[in-house]
């Protein structure tokens, strides 16, 4: 879940999606605060790529009620968790869906437009329309502790069809000869910004820090 205020952190979004892909969790994106129009178009452009690779995007406003019906039907019959940066409106959206169980929410910090980490524990709610929803504390940093290099690549779902075509089984998808992923980036099949975030996350994997891969 994300918003324009605080500004969506796409690297964090990718990390969530990598975890979901590797754990078999079906993910969709919630773009909240669509009542705020500043920067809306630029974020929509970034989102188009996620839609293209098959992640549904639901646009909501906890403030005005936009998209709540659509979200409710998406959540029905499932146990779901709202995950995202502090201040994107996870608790506000939970409150909008369950009007009689008000969770604490908070204004963004003055001046910084950052969230305040208002929610400190995860809480599960039964939705009136069916299904369960977990409101969780916002995260600023996120670990990929138990993710290996190959799990990371598998976490970028658009790489999937290309991975078997890399020339070498242990291809790192950097400057390796015959890398189908890199070729995909060059010919536009894979979004370059997503690929760059893959490289960034790769650097953050345990044992990778301070040791830039050759050729990238
Ligand atoms: N304009 C607008 N403001 C919203 C919307 N949803 C939430 N907010 C505001 O955003 C601020 C943060 O909302 P919260 O619901 O506390 O955010 P959170 O994601 O639960 O934050 P943490 O608990 O810190 O992770 C509050 O001031 C809300 O009133 C929305 O749809 N539109
Ligand atoms: Mg909260
Ligand atoms: Zn490769």
């Amino acid at each position: 879940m994300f918003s324009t205020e605080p500004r969506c952190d796409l690297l964090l979004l990718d990390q969530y999606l990598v975890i979901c892909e590797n754990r078999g969790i079906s993910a969709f994106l919630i773009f909240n605060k669509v009542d705020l129009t500043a920067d809306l178009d630029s974020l929509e452009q970034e989102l188009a790529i996620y839609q293209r690779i098959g992640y549904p995007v639901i646009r909501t406003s906890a403030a005005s009620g936009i998209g709540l019906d659509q979200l409710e039907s998406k959540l029905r019959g499932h146990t779901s968790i709202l995950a995202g940066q502090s201040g994107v409106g996870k608790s506000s959206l939970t409150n909008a869906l369950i009007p009689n169980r008000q969770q604490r929410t908070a204004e963004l910090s003055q001046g910084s437009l950052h969230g305040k980490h208002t929610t400190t524990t995860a809480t599960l709610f039964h939705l009136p329309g069916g299904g369960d929803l977990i409101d969780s504390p916002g995260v600023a940093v996120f670990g990929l502790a138990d993710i290996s290099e190959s799990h990371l690549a598998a976490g970028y779902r658009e790489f999937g069809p290309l991975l078997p075509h890399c020339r070498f089984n242990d291809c790192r998808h950097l400057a390796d000869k015959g890398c189908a992923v890199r070729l995909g980036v060059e010919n536009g099949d894979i979004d370059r910004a997503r690929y760059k975030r893959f490289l960034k996350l790769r650097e953050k994997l345990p044992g990778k820090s301070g040791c830039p891969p050759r050729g990238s």
Side-chain angles (χ1 to χ4, degrees):
M1 179 166 169
F2 50 86
S3 64
T4 52
E5 232 185 74
R7 174 83 190 159
C8 175
D9 178 348
L10 294 170
L11 199 63
L12 185 66
L13 174 58
D14 280 10
Q15 291 182 49
Y16 279 124
L17 294 177
V18 165
I19 300 288
C20 289
E21 293 295 335
N22 277 285
R23 300 267 167 86
I25 298 166
S26 135
F28 66 94
L29 313 187
I30 302 176
F31 181 0
N32 187 42
K33 307 198 191 185
V34 293
D35 55 294
L36 305 176
T37 49
D39 295 331
L40 199 95
D41 291 345
S42 72
L43 188 50
E44 280 290 354
Q45 277 176 15
E46 315 223 63
L47 288 185
I49 151 78
Y50 290 91
Q51 285 179 282
R52 210 178 311 139
I53 58 177
Y55 292 109
V57 179
I58 296 187
R59 293 159 185 83
T60 61
S61 166
S64 79
I66 296 170
L68 292 185
D69 289 349
Q70 199 192 350
L71 180 59
E72 215 165 29
S73 59
K74 191 95 181 144
L75 299 174
R76 195 167 296 140
H78 302 282
T79 299
S80 310
I81 183 162
L82 290 175
Q85 283 158 270
S86 179
V88 298
K90 298 177 295 296
S91 300
S92 304
L93 202 56
T94 305
N95 289 344
L97 292 169
I98 312 163
N100 59 346
R101 291 293 306 272
Q102 294 297 304
Q103 288 282 99
R104 220 157 72 79
T105 63
E107 297 299 318
L108 303 182
S109 311
Q110 283 286 319
S112 73
L113 295 183
H114 281 106
K116 285 178 170 170
H117 298 279
T118 310
T119 305
T120 51
T121 52
T123 309
L124 183 142
F125 298 93
H126 303 299
L127 295 166
D132 291 325
L133 182 64
I134 301 166
D135 180 21
S136 76
V139 292
V141 280
F142 200 92
L144 285 172
D146 53 354
I147 296 281
S148 67
E149 282 188 64
S150 62
H151 284 132
L152 181 64
Y156 277 74
R157 62 158 61 160
E158 69 273 42
F159 294 5
L162 301 176
L163 294 176
H165 300 290
C166 289
R167 186 179 304 168
F168 301 107
N169 279 338
D170 60 349
C171 185
R172 296 169 307 162
H173 321 299
L174 302 173
D176 310 57
K177 267 209 176 98
C179 174
V181 172
R182 266 207 98 105
L183 189 66
V185 176
E186 297 312 325
N187 67 23
D189 289 339
I190 288 183
D191 179 68
R192 190 174 292 274
R194 277 266 291 176
Y195 176 69
K196 282 190 175 162
R197 289 195 288 277
F198 160 76
L199 295 181
K200 238 185 208 170
L201 291 180
R202 193 183 170 282
E203 286 297 292
K204 289 183 174 209
L205 292 179
K208 283 280 174 297
S209 57
C211 166
R214 271 178 298 149
S216 73

